[in-house]
Amino acid sequence: DGPGHLGRLRRSVSAACAGAGLRGAALVDIRLVSAKTGYGMEGLVSRLQRSWKCAGDVYLLGATNSGKSTLFNTLLRSDYCKSRAPDIVDRATVSPWPGTTLNLLKFPIINPTCDRIFRRQERLKEEAAKTEDDLSSEEKQYLNHLKKQGYLVGRVGRTFQRQKASTVIDFDPDALSYSVDEDPVHSPKKCEKKEEFTQNEIKDARWCFDTPGIVKEDCVVQFILQVLNLLTEKEVKLVLPTVAIVPRTFILKPGTTLFLAALGRVDYLQGEKPAWFSVVASNMLPVHITTLSNADAIYEKHAGRELLKVPMGGEERMKEFPPLVPQDIKLKGISTTEAVADIKLSSAGWVAVTAHAEEELLLRAYTPKGTALVVREPPLLPYISTIRGARIPGTAYYRTKKPPSFVENLKTTGSR
């Protein structure tokens, strides 16, 4: 969303790690990756092979639904894993529901010898010299699929491919011959034996483990799980984005309310000037702008119905859904292009607030009872309000503008 965004995010993550007690020798490196799109994954593999090599086992730790299983599956098909292992090891189940990883899944880590490191670097150099025009039609199709899932994209390849055995047709002429007085008899199919590791392959192996997620009381993770548990399967599919989010920005005057479906609400109570509110949430969730005086009536009439969409099921659904509870928030603006804070509305998404310099705002945000609301300062994407199209005349809405995708390990052409 602006220059130096990766460095800014690294500093934020580093500060969070320091606050959690991970500092000094305990923290070796920080990597920003997307296991879903492959961005940063080749760099992560190279860093692991340089610093940790094959000295011991590796465990993927983190909160439930933080993406460990997706990371495990991506590492499984990378140079971090032994070449024969992907055909033997089961992939981790990726699900929006918490606690779906119940067992310790693992794959054997490849030993990064000098020869293997050299061959891997040669492959990375060769791939980085390519442009999109040099890719095959299958690679282009997969790359376009990744671009829909995120804006920062990276291809994850394998240097050490397993040699596939030649296909041999098992032809038995006797099984095909039969008398004119007999019906043909089909021979029973042979059961395919599942491949297993040899003793030599695993006796000194180091393993990468995917672990069940951590659920900790009194932390941000806890309220995310509570919100997911409030929703039906159909509602979860609308709340959790499956493709890259396109930010939606609105300019609101004091006395205006923003609804994010029926899951969150932000009231602009006091301020001298209009402010910009950028919604980062699944684009399947509707955003509705109304006056503060009409907000309660809008929620009463449309919660559970098509206008606000989630939850869905009408009055009967809303009887069992907890009411929205408020929390007052005071903010002071930085500039018309830089957000001051994010208001995180449970697991539905967040709203970045951008206001004039030194402008004091009084807001009131709502989330379902039993969940928590987080004000994130500094915001995750401070310049997100600038990612927008032209304003729609006579409304508080700006046209959406999808940011361009960046592929990190491809040569940029003049047309891109």
Side-chain angles (χ1 to χ4, degrees), residues 43-249:
L44 174 63
V45 171
S46 296
R47 187 68 176 93
L48 285 169
Q49 290 181 336
R50 287 198 310 270
S51 61
W52 191 239
K53 297 182 180 178
C54 210
D57 296 334
V58 172
Y59 293 83
L60 305 181
L61 304 179
T64 53
N65 281 80
S66 60
K68 298 182 302 301
S69 294
T70 306
L71 178 60
F72 177 87
N73 291 337
T74 304
L75 289 173
L76 178 64
R77 57 183 175 84
S78 75
D79 281 342
Y80 200 55
C81 176
K82 288 190 175 182
S83 59
R84 204 168 76 90
D87 296 330
I88 303 174
V89 177
D90 293 328
R91 287 167 57 91
T93 301
V94 178
S95 168
W97 301 105
T100 48
T101 302
L102 301 178
N103 300 314
L104 276 176
L105 300 176
K106 63 180 182 178
F107 66 74
I109 300 171
I110 198 169
N111 184 17
T113 61
C114 293
D115 175 64
R116 286 172 177 160
I117 292 293
F118 175 78
R119 289 163 58 193
R120 170 176 162 76
Q121 292 303 317
E122 289 298 303
R123 176 183 68 82
L124 293 177
K125 289 179 185 178
E126 182 181 336
E127 291 187 351
K130 292 181 179 180
T131 66
E132 283 195 39
D133 295 334
D134 298 325
L135 302 179
S136 66
S137 58
E138 292 81 6
E139 288 176 315
K140 288 180 181 178
Q141 185 177 0
Y142 184 60
L143 189 61
N144 289 331
H145 171 70
L146 293 178
K147 287 180 179 179
K148 291 180 181 178
Q149 298 184 350
Y151 303 113
L152 299 177
V153 179
R155 299 174 303 141
V156 180
R158 288 190 67 87
T159 308
F160 319 107
Q161 299 287 352
R162 179 191 178 187
Q163 295 295 326
K164 294 185 178 180
S166 59
T167 304
V168 178
I169 300 175
D170 188 8
F171 182 73
D172 183 2
D174 293 331
L176 300 178
S177 63
Y178 56 94
S179 169
V180 292
D181 298 325
E182 297 177 326
D183 290 329
V185 178
H186 297 284
S187 59
K189 291 185 177 179
K190 297 179 181 179
C191 296
E192 292 186 7
K193 187 178 180 181
K194 184 178 178 180
E195 285 193 78
E196 296 182 356
F197 291 115
T198 65
Q199 181 62 29
N200 189 53
E201 286 177 313
I202 64 175
K203 66 176 182 178
D204 295 320
R206 303 302 185 191
W207 301 86
C208 178
F209 291 90
D210 180 26
T211 65
I214 300 168
V215 180
K216 184 179 177 183
E217 297 292 337
D218 302 323
C219 73
V220 176
V221 176
Q222 186 66 20
F223 76 78
I224 293 177
L225 300 182
Q226 290 171 347
V227 168
L228 287 178
N229 290 336
L230 292 175
L231 303 178
T232 65
E233 182 179 357
K234 193 174 181 180
E235 292 164 353
V236 168
K237 289 180 179 179
L238 295 175
V239 172
L240 295 181
T242 56
V243 296
I245 292 173
V246 179
R248 291 169 282 177
T249 295

Side-chain angles (χ1 to χ4, degrees), residues 353-370:
V353 181
T354 305
H356 291 79
E358 301 300 316
E359 175 76 6
E360 294 186 354
L361 309 179
L362 176 60
L363 310 175
R364 182 170 293 156
Y366 296 74
T367 52
K369 185 178 180 181

Side-chain angles (χ1 to χ4, degrees), residues 170-408:
D170 188 8
F171 182 73
D172 183 2
D174 293 331
L176 300 178
S177 63
Y178 56 94
S179 169
V180 292
D181 298 325
E182 297 177 326
D183 290 329
V185 178
H186 297 284
S187 59
K189 291 185 177 179
K190 297 179 181 179
C191 296
E192 292 186 7
K193 187 178 180 181
K194 184 178 178 180
E195 285 193 78
E196 296 182 356
F197 291 115
T198 65
Q199 181 62 29
N200 189 53
E201 286 177 313
I202 64 175
K203 66 176 182 178
D204 295 320
R206 303 302 185 191
W207 301 86
C208 178
F209 291 90
D210 180 26
T211 65
I214 300 168
V215 180
K216 184 179 177 183
E217 297 292 337
D218 302 323
C219 73
V220 176
V221 176
Q222 186 66 20
F223 76 78
I224 293 177
L225 300 182
Q226 290 171 347
V227 168
L228 287 178
N229 290 336
L230 292 175
L231 303 178
T232 65
E233 182 179 357
K234 193 174 181 180
E235 292 164 353
V236 168
K237 289 180 179 179
L238 295 175
V239 172
L240 295 181
T242 56
V243 296
I245 292 173
V246 179
R248 291 169 282 177
T249 295
F250 309 85
I251 184 167
L252 304 185
K253 298 177 182 178
T256 310
T257 293
L258 180 150
F259 280 104
L260 177 58
L263 300 174
R265 166 180 166 180
V266 179
D267 296 345
Y268 186 3
L269 300 179
Q270 294 179 16
E272 296 296 327
K273 300 175 182 178
W276 293 265
F277 292 74
S278 300
V279 176
V280 182
S282 167
N283 295 110
M284 299 297 292
L285 290 182
V287 175
H288 185 71
I289 308 296
T290 187
T291 60
L292 184 58
S293 58
N294 290 335
D296 291 340
I298 291 288
Y299 184 82
E300 187 71 25
K301 182 179 180 179
H302 294 286
R305 303 185 188 280
E306 185 60 27
L307 181 70
L308 298 180
K309 208 163 191 174
V310 178
M312 55 181 67
E315 293 182 8
E316 291 300 316
R317 176 73 176 99
M318 295 311 297
K319 285 180 181 178
E320 63 184 27
F321 196 79
L324 299 182
V325 294
Q327 177 179 324
D328 287 356
I329 302 168
K330 291 183 178 180
L331 299 173
K332 182 180 284 189
I334 298 175
S335 77
T336 57
T337 58
E338 184 176 353
V340 58
D342 294 332
I343 301 174
K344 194 170 189 309
L345 302 171
S346 301
S347 55
W350 76 82
V351 179
V353 181
T354 305
H356 291 79
E358 301 300 316
E359 175 76 6
E360 294 186 354
L361 309 179
L362 176 60
L363 310 175
R364 182 170 293 156
Y366 296 74
T367 52
K369 185 178 180 181
T371 68
L373 184 146
V374 175
V375 178
R376 183 165 49 204
E377 297 181 273
L380 190 63
L381 302 170
Y383 305 106
I384 195 166
S385 68
T386 62
I387 305 174
R388 65 180 190 237
R391 185 174 175 182
I392 301 175
T395 72
Y397 296 71
Y398 287 89
R399 299 188 187 279
T400 57
K401 180 181 179 182
K402 185 177 179 180
S405 297
F406 169 74
V407 186
E408 67 167 343

